[in-house]
Amino acid sequence: MSHKIVFLDRETLDANVRKPNFPHEYVEYAQTAPDQLVERLKGADICITNKVPLREATLKQLPDLKLIAVAATGTDVVDKAQAKAQGVTVVNIRNYAFNTVPEHVVGLMFALRRAIVPYANSVRRGDWAKSKQFCYFDYPIYDIAGSTLGIVGYGALGKSIAKRAEALGMKV
């Protein structure tokens, strides 16, 4: 038995997609507009999506669909109740960007607390060159240690961010 696999928004994922090791027909689209969904997924039993929403009205028109693979960490782009009602399995990429996202969060925390972007823009404008002293303090600079970080969602990524924040002396 051959499976029809449709990737709705391939350009949203900058990674190699490993082809399945079972008989299949694979079609991918760079992007898919809402009015193209049903036509493109007609006859497909596997849908891969990243950001294209699959809502109740669309799913009801796709009786052949058996699996929705979300190429991201969450599954909020899919109406999971409707998928379940139709017997469609919904999965996502577990541990996707497990290091990348937490490291990016830490970088952004430093950028915010140390005013890196405002200072970089200030230097580009020539403010440092005009300063009468080597140091100038046009923007407040705050420590990371001792500050508090609120995390919404405590899955693999949230826990990884918390671990890094605690290692920097933050309260989570």
Side-chain angles (χ1 to χ4, degrees):
M1 175 184 178
S2 183
H3 295 277
K4 181 177 178 185
I5 305 168
V6 177
F7 196 150
L8 295 172
D9 51 351
R10 179 65 177 94
E11 76 176 12
T12 64
L13 189 66
D14 186 24
N16 292 327
V17 176
R18 187 172 28 130
K19 302 291 190 253
N21 62 357
F22 52 81
H24 66 280
E25 171 193 350
Y26 178 81
V27 180
E28 66 181 28
Y29 299 96
Q31 46 189 277
T32 298
D35 63 343
Q36 299 172 311
L37 273 170
V38 174
E39 175 190 331
R40 289 184 174 180
L41 288 173
K42 191 166 286 208
D45 50 341
I46 301 173
C47 168
I48 304 171
T49 184
N50 188 359
K51 304 297 179 207
V52 177
L54 294 164
R55 302 295 179 221
E56 179 181 9
T58 301
L59 291 172
K60 283 183 173 181
Q61 298 177 65
L62 301 169
D64 299 323
L65 202 56
K66 301 291 180 252
L67 173 68
I68 299 170
V70 182
T73 56
T75 56
D76 58 321
V77 297
V78 179
D79 183 329
K80 289 180 283 300
Q82 182 60 39
K84 184 177 181 178
Q86 289 180 220
V88 178
T89 301
V90 179
V91 297
N92 64 345
I93 299 177
R94 287 170 180 81
N95 296 325
Y96 171 72
F98 184 75
N99 290 313
T100 307
V101 169
E103 289 172 6
H104 186 70
V105 169
V106 169
L108 291 175
M109 289 187 310
F110 275 103
L112 288 169
R113 299 294 288 174
R114 300 296 178 147
I116 290 172
V117 173
Y119 273 112
N121 290 336
S122 173
V123 169
R124 281 189 200 100
R125 285 192 309 266
D127 296 346
W128 189 19
K130 295 174 197 167
S131 177
K132 292 183 169 71
Q133 56 187 352
F134 179 77
C135 296
Y136 71 109
F137 301 101
D138 290 2
Y139 307 97
I141 296 173
Y142 302 103
D143 290 337
I144 292 285
S147 61
T148 302
L149 176 67
I151 299 174
V152 177
Y154 206 60
L157 292 177
K159 288 175 184 161
S160 183
I161 292 166
K163 181 179 174 182
R164 285 165 169 83
E166 289 168 344
L168 293 169
M170 296 183 79
K171 297 174 208 148
V172 177

